[in-house]
Amino acid sequence: MTDRIVDLRSDTITKPVVAMRMAMASAEVGDDVYGEDPTVLALEDRIADLLGHESGLFTPSGSMANQLGVRLHVGPGQEVIADELANVLRAEMGAAAVFSGISSRSWRAPRGLLDPADPLRLMQPDAGPYQVSTKAIVVENTHNFGGGTVQPLEAIRTLRAATQPLGIAMHLDGARLWNAHVATGIELAQYGQQFDTVSVCLSKGLGAPVGSVLVGSREHIAEARVWRKRYGGGMRQAGILAAGGLWALDHHIERLADDHGRARTFSEAVASRFPGVIDPAHVETNIVIADVGQAGWAAADFVSVAEKRGLRIYAVNAHAVRLVWHLDVDDADTSYASDLVTAMFAETAQGS
Ligand SMILES: Cc1ncc(COP(=O)(O)O)c(C=O)c1O
């Protein structure tokens, strides 16, 4: 056992910094269900603007923002399609089916990388009375379970050009769109404008404690506001939370490059000894997927031994683990993690 704990399970685990807490404590607030919280309104306007959309809606979580987006485009008995690793299908607890009667299908996407040919092959825009009609496609950027993969803007544009004339909506799960923006230098609005609706999270790399924003047209967001209330997501003096988001937009976007650099440093250090486990060329942002099966480990065993030695990570399947860099991890933590992981791989290499 060790006293040191480096926690790379997720970028959601960060705690708000003191200056963010001060901004939250002094936020001007009002009843947001009455549309009277000036800080929430400021956050919604600012993010809508950044993403090139008319309106925004503050939600308690990324899951709610995604589910509202999907709900706007797809009705009961119709379908949404997304890649098989997409958060919206894999980690939102079947919400589209449970709350909205929506059916879903998916395509295979190594590393979550979008190839427009896949959804174009899968979709059925108007399937008549015989099969389920596709009404929306969800794209995730960056891709979480894919390993922080950045979606190429050109691929998104190709998909948009093919689906828009058919009336198939596109929703962007942009929980980590900030990371894509920092990694590529592409403006947030250039991504945002390719979609009917976009969700972004403030509680991941940006380090705010709570909150996401859904953006879209004025009509879409007015409708989403009704559904948010229906889902129990109408919050009152939510400006206290929104203030954390506004503070994060001012202070925590550009620094994501540090997280990306550390994830790369880690992956290069490990790959220099064990190249089959991590490919540094696939580490584009703050997430690393390590195929520990290649080094003779079951993912669950690897997670549990690493935890005993002071490193917390997450098993994404039976043979791979995810490591996520964030605000509360520094260079020393990164070296600690790469030394520990390399030593664990070396033990199985010696044992085999
Ligand atoms: C890509 C992606 N989208 C959406 C979500 C959902 O966000 P929340 O946990 O706030 O519901 C997550 C959460 O990790 C995510 O990684």
Side-chain angles (χ1 to χ4, degrees):
M1 285 300 256
T2 168
D3 285 343
R4 182 171 191 151
I5 299 287
V6 175
D7 197 338
L8 298 178
R9 282 172 303 161
S10 175
D11 47 10
T12 57
I13 62 129
T14 57
K15 305 208 172 85
V17 298
V18 173
M20 181 187 281
R21 288 176 193 245
M22 309 260 282
M24 294 172 74
S26 59
E28 242 190 279
V29 295
D31 188 329
D32 183 52
V33 174
Y34 292 155
E36 290 174 2
D37 189 305
T39 310
V40 171
L41 295 174
L43 178 70
E44 291 172 342
D45 283 353
R46 181 151 166 206
I47 291 191
D49 229 42
L50 278 173
L51 292 166
H53 280 260
E54 283 177 350
S55 261
L57 183 72
F58 188 48
T59 63
S61 68
S63 301
M64 188 184 282
N66 279 338
Q67 292 304 324
L68 290 172
V70 169
R71 166 84 236 185
L72 292 174
H73 309 306
V74 190
Q78 299 174 332
E79 76 177 2
V80 59
I81 61 173
D83 76 83
E84 66 173 356
L85 298 174
N87 198 88
V88 73
L89 297 187
R90 201 176 170 212
E92 296 181 9
M93 317 315 287
V98 172
F99 296 134
S100 309
I102 291 171
S103 168
S104 56
R105 284 186 301 144
S106 55
W107 65 88
R108 294 210 66 192
R111 299 200 303 113
L113 187 64
L114 174 67
D115 176 348
D118 292 323
L120 292 176
R121 204 176 299 118
L122 191 66
M123 69 190 194
Q124 303 194 111
D126 186 4
Y130 306 108
Q131 290 180 333
V132 177
S133 293
T134 311
K135 291 294 170 188
I137 299 173
V138 176
V139 174
E140 188 173 312
N141 193 16
T142 65
H143 201 295
N144 173 12
F145 293 120
T149 308
V150 177
Q151 306 297 1
L153 187 55
E154 231 11 76
I156 296 170
R157 284 197 175 121
T158 302
L159 187 59
R160 180 63 160 175
T163 54
Q164 200 169 27
L166 302 172
I168 295 182
M170 279 175 51
H171 172 77
L172 172 59
D173 177 353
R176 297 184 181 80
L177 191 64
W178 321 106
N179 297 81
H181 159 65
V182 167
T184 60
I186 293 173
E187 287 307 319
L188 292 160
Q190 280 191 271
Y191 287 116
Q193 282 161 346
Q194 299 302 316
F195 293 87
D196 297 278
T197 46
V198 182
S199 68
V200 288
C201 286
L202 301 158
S203 59
K204 303 203 162 58
L206 295 198
V210 177
S212 287
V213 173
L214 176 73
V215 304
S217 67
R218 212 162 273 121
E219 296 74 26
H220 272 145
I221 295 303
E223 194 184 338
R225 196 172 290 281
V226 175
W227 279 102
R228 182 187 67 172
K229 181 76 163 55
R230 202 167 272 141
Y231 288 166
M235 299 180 286
R236 301 296 176 172
Q237 285 69 35
I240 290 184
L241 302 175
L246 282 167
W247 196 91
L249 292 177
D250 287 335
H251 298 94
H252 283 170
I253 294 183
E254 297 312 323
R255 67 147 305 284
L256 292 171
D258 299 343
D259 298 341
H260 299 177
R262 290 183 181 120
R264 203 171 315 115
T265 302
F266 168 89
S267 64
E268 283 165 0
V270 175
S272 67
R273 295 270 317 274
F274 296 96
V277 181
I278 296 173
D279 182 349
H282 289 165
V283 179
E284 298 179 75
T285 56
N286 64 326
I287 303 181
V288 175
I289 302 285
D291 188 351
V292 295
Q294 294 286 334
W297 284 89
D301 294 342
F302 193 83
V303 167
S304 119
V305 173
E307 169 127 22
K308 288 193 185 96
R309 298 183 187 183
L311 176 66
R312 304 186 84 182
I313 53 179
Y314 175 81
V316 286
N317 57 38
H319 58 86
V321 299
R322 185 188 68 178
L323 305 95
V324 187
W325 270 260
H326 52 76
L327 197 54
D328 295 350
V329 182
D330 61 17
D331 289 337
D333 295 328
T334 302
S335 311
Y336 184 78
S338 57
D339 290 349
L340 193 152
V341 166
T342 308
M344 285 176 65
F345 291 158
E347 283 163 26
T348 38
Q350 271 164 11
S352 59

